[in-house]
Amino acid sequence: MKKTPDELLQAEWSPAGPDWLDPTVDFEARRGSWSYPAAPKNLKYLGFPNPREWSPTDADWKLPDDWQAILHRGLEERLAKYRSLRLFLDICVRCGACADKCHFFLGSGDPKNMPVLRAELLRSVYRKDFTTAGKLLGGLAGARALTPEVLKEWYYYFYQCTECRRCSVFCPYGIDTAEITMAARELLNLVGLNINWVMEPVANCHRTGNHLGIQPHTFKDNIEFLCDELADATGIRIAPSINRKGAELLFVVPSADYFADPGIYTFMGYLLLFEQLGLDYTLSAYVSEGGNFGLFTSHETIKRLNYKMYAEAKRLGVKWILGGECGHMWRVVHQYMDTLNGPADFLEDPVSPITGTRFDHAASTRMVHICEFTADLLQHGKLKLDKSRNDHLRLTFHDSCNPARAVGLLEEPRQVIRGVCNHFFEMPENTIREQTFCCGGGAGLGNDENMEMRMRGGLPRGSAVAHVRDTHGVNQLACICAIDRATLPALVEYWAPGVEVTGVHELVGNALVMEGETPRTSDLRGRPMLVPAEASHV
């Protein structure tokens, strides 16, 4: 990333520029704003078409000879299968209500990053091939032929959408541009135009059960290492079970939580919470990933990756599933699972073994989010806490797009934060809850080669964080999504230096008062607490 924040802020938001019907994209000049293609080995492993070595800067993208016919059939099939797709392509009146709601348009000033115009890139081909007006009037009706240049334009712009769905909140017709992006990516898959930051995690997840390709013995070793770290920090020795049949709950987390900073501290918080409760749970090396990159690939891939959680829950004989802090896992479970895989009628309706609360909203999925679970514990006064242990932190909260906007998990994370922290400050109203801004690196775009576009897309979120940093002295940004915990550190370092990123249950772990613990003088990261040890030790 070579450009400074001041240089990125020079984006021009006027509509001047070449006619939108011109599909030309200079990939060489736009390095830093696109992602590398999928490696052939990953496509071969998954059985996806047209695996080969190529680059977007090549003149020849090595497409199949009949690529236009393949895409025509693919679009025809999806128009018949997904009624919403045809509806969204037909009813848009191009009012522009969504135009300035996209973080990528706000950060880049590129008109084709307006949701309305990005969708028009697909809609124009739909008009040409599937509507009478487009066939007769061509460009007068906004129709375009599917040329190699148009296909390259699709690759560039549909992999500049994080499917965050902020635009859909403001659309007067309820058009969900993320569904258009998903359909466009499915079409691109048909001719081998995929990005590696999506397809490699998908291939790894098929092979080893997680995005990172971690083997079962490494999964176990990583968890044991974190337990050693916890023992050093708290004096508490925890030994979670793995692959244990007959446990009451199966606990599923994103792989970054037991592998990478800062997610590992969130995982430590989970372990301390369950230890204090005496919860009967098990982890699984076969379901060592809650995230589902199928959401960024195809509906069929969503189904294949989601299935493993429920197959393992059935094999282990658990009653229900508890899910960790993951974003797209939660959207898949609550918006796709019951249709694609469910219902999970071999599991029981989730009931908290600690409070007796029945989570009725999970009657079909039999899966509860950790923030719902912990908020319920706090409401019933079931945790031993010392909130002052987080007094060295001044918190704000980033509503992760999928659990917040897509699922409505808005209050529970805030209840948990307020239950374990004394200093919490909200960002401006039009940047949180349903209107939250994306991290700029979701949907498989959180890679290094795409860093300039990530930082452009992260401008709105970074600006809101900088505002509460400057106004309230905020030094910590909490979130409940593994992708956010992976992408936000670079974003805040760029746009709001001095702010660190945390998971919500890292804060819980800091505040928990454990029986038999050693005096706590530092938090889970080893940072000194503001309170003396004797005041925080019971």
Side-chain angles (χ1 to χ4, degrees):
M1 183 63 191
K2 299 179 180 179
K3 294 185 179 179
T4 66
D6 286 342
E7 289 174 319
L8 283 196
L9 284 172
Q10 302 309 308
E12 175 59 58
W13 291 283
S14 69
D19 190 312
W20 78 268
L21 290 168
D22 178 6
T24 305
V25 176
D26 186 345
F27 282 89
E28 188 64 54
R30 298 193 186 188
R31 287 185 179 273
S33 298
W34 46 268
S35 301
Y36 293 156
K41 66 176 183 178
N42 294 321
L43 298 184
K44 290 177 181 177
Y45 182 82
L46 293 166
F48 273 64
N50 199 22
R52 80 277 185 212
E53 295 286 353
W54 67 285
S55 170
T57 57
D58 295 341
D60 181 6
W61 282 19
K62 302 176 183 177
L63 299 172
D65 292 338
D66 58 343
W67 66 268
Q68 288 170 309
I70 291 172
L71 291 173
H72 182 92
R73 288 194 302 270
L75 182 53
E76 185 176 40
E77 291 170 2
R78 282 153 183 80
L79 290 170
K81 188 174 183 180
Y82 306 122
R83 185 172 62 176
S84 59
L85 177 61
R86 185 183 290 272
L87 181 69
F88 294 157
L89 292 176
D90 280 338
I91 66 175
C92 177
V93 296
R94 289 172 279 188
C95 67
C98 65
D100 61 345
K101 308 308 186 295
C102 177
H103 49 287
F104 282 129
F105 173 66
L106 292 174
S108 69
D110 187 337
K112 292 183 182 179
N113 270 326
M114 296 179 183
V116 57
L117 192 43
R118 187 187 293 111
E120 200 73 15
L121 304 181
L122 176 61
R123 188 177 288 114
S124 61
V125 173
Y126 162 72
R127 288 199 186 100
K128 176 68 175 176
D129 291 350
F130 294 93
T131 71
T132 302
K135 292 175 181 178
L136 295 176
L137 301 177
L140 293 175
R144 296 189 302 174
L146 182 56
T147 65
E149 290 71 30
V150 168
L151 192 61
K152 292 180 180 183
E153 182 186 46
W154 281 11
Y155 179 89
Y156 185 74
Y157 287 104
F158 284 115
Y159 287 112
Q160 277 183 26
C161 172
T162 51
E163 303 177 16
C164 81
R165 304 174 71 248
R166 189 173 193 266
C167 52
S168 67
V169 173
F170 298 91
C171 177
Y173 292 91
I175 295 172
D176 188 345
T177 305
E179 288 204 20
I180 297 176
T181 293
M182 291 169 69
R185 288 190 179 189
E186 286 197 14
L187 295 174
L188 291 168
N189 286 338
L190 297 177
V191 291
L193 299 182
N194 341 73
I195 64 171
N196 202 55
W197 206 246
V198 169
M199 301 311 295
E200 185 165 326
V202 170
N204 285 341
C205 210
H206 274 280
R207 188 174 65 255
T208 67
N210 59 76
H211 295 155
L212 301 171
I214 294 171
Q215 299 289 339
H217 64 278
T218 307
F219 173 72
K220 180 175 180 290
D221 289 345
N222 283 11
I223 292 172
E224 289 177 349
F225 171 79
L226 296 179
C227 289
D228 290 340
E229 293 291 298
L230 269 179
D232 291 342
T234 67
I236 304 298
R237 172 59 63 178
I238 298 174
S241 65
I242 299 175
N243 301 342
R244 177 168 61 91
K245 291 187 176 182
E248 184 167 4
L249 308 179
L250 170 63
F251 183 49
V252 180
V253 299
S255 52
D257 278 4
Y258 56 83
F259 181 81
D261 185 332
I264 54 175
Y265 304 111
T266 300
F267 193 89
M268 291 181 187
Y270 302 148
L271 295 179
L272 286 174
L273 174 65
F274 299 160
E275 183 72 10
Q276 187 180 101
L277 296 174
L279 194 67
D280 181 18
Y281 73 101
T282 189
L283 297 156
S284 171
Y286 302 103
V287 188
S288 49
E289 179 69 70
N292 191 323
F293 269 45
L295 188 63
F296 317 137
T297 310
S298 70
H299 289 79
E300 179 59 29
T301 312
I302 293 173
K303 178 179 180 179
R304 291 164 66 183
L305 294 184
N306 189 69
Y307 172 78
K308 70 181 187 299
M309 292 196 300
Y310 288 89
E312 182 66 350
K314 189 172 187 178
R315 186 185 76 87
L316 294 176
V318 300
K319 292 182 179 179
W320 51 279
I321 306 172
L322 184 63
E325 294 183 16
C326 183
H328 46 299
M329 170 180 75
W330 217 242
R331 184 178 175 198
V332 165
V333 167
H334 276 272
Q335 294 192 332
Y336 294 93
M337 181 269 166
D338 200 17
T339 301
L340 296 178
N341 301 104
D345 50 11
F346 57 90
L347 295 173
E348 298 181 8
D349 289 349
V351 176
S352 171
I354 311 301
T355 67
T357 296
R358 181 177 294 274
F359 297 99
D360 291 325
H361 66 287
S364 65
T365 64
R366 266 73 170 193
M367 189 166 179
V368 173
H369 193 282
I370 187 69
C371 282
E372 298 172 304
F373 182 73
T374 305
D376 176 63
L377 294 170
L378 288 166
Q379 186 174 350
H380 287 85
K382 296 296 185 180
L383 298 180
K384 298 177 183 178
L385 299 165
D386 182 352
K387 295 172 64 172
S388 69
R389 290 178 171 182
N390 281 313
D391 279 354
H392 58 303
L393 305 177
R394 298 176 69 81
L395 273 295
T396 192
F397 179 66
H398 164 69
D399 288 280
S400 303
C401 299
N402 282 309
R405 189 157 36 238
V407 182
L409 197 65
L410 303 172
E411 298 306 324
E412 292 86 348
R414 289 174 168 83
Q415 291 170 5
V416 175
I417 291 173
R418 291 191 176 99
V420 300
C421 300
N422 288 314
H423 308 298
F424 174 60
F425 307 91
E426 291 277 19
M427 286 182 276
E429 287 188 12
N430 65 335
T431 71
I432 60 173
R433 300 179 185 271
E434 291 92 343
Q435 297 186 39
T436 186
F437 273 109
C438 182
C439 67
L445 307 187
N447 50 68
D448 290 346
E449 67 267 21
N450 189 46
M451 187 61 77
E452 179 178 325
M453 188 53 65
R454 280 176 55 188
M455 294 302 104
R456 289 187 181 279
L459 168 62
R461 172 47 76 225
S463 298
V465 176
H467 170 76
V468 289
R469 178 200 62 185
D470 297 342
T471 305
H472 302 293
V474 163
N475 58 15
Q476 205 84 357
L477 174 62
C479 60
I480 57 169
C481 172
I483 285 182
D484 285 330
R485 286 193 287 277
T487 59
L488 286 173
L491 183 151
V492 295
E493 181 181 357
Y494 192 79
W495 292 114
V499 179
E500 293 184 308
V501 177
T502 179
V504 168
H505 278 76
E506 176 183 344
L507 307 171
V508 175
N510 287 341
L512 283 169
V513 178
M514 307 294 293
E515 183 178 350
E517 67 180 13
T518 55
R520 300 277 295 275
T521 59
S522 59
D523 64 13
L524 294 179
R525 300 192 189 196
R527 298 172 298 194
M529 295 176 178
L530 295 181
V531 294
E534 60 270 16
S536 66
H537 177 57
V538 178

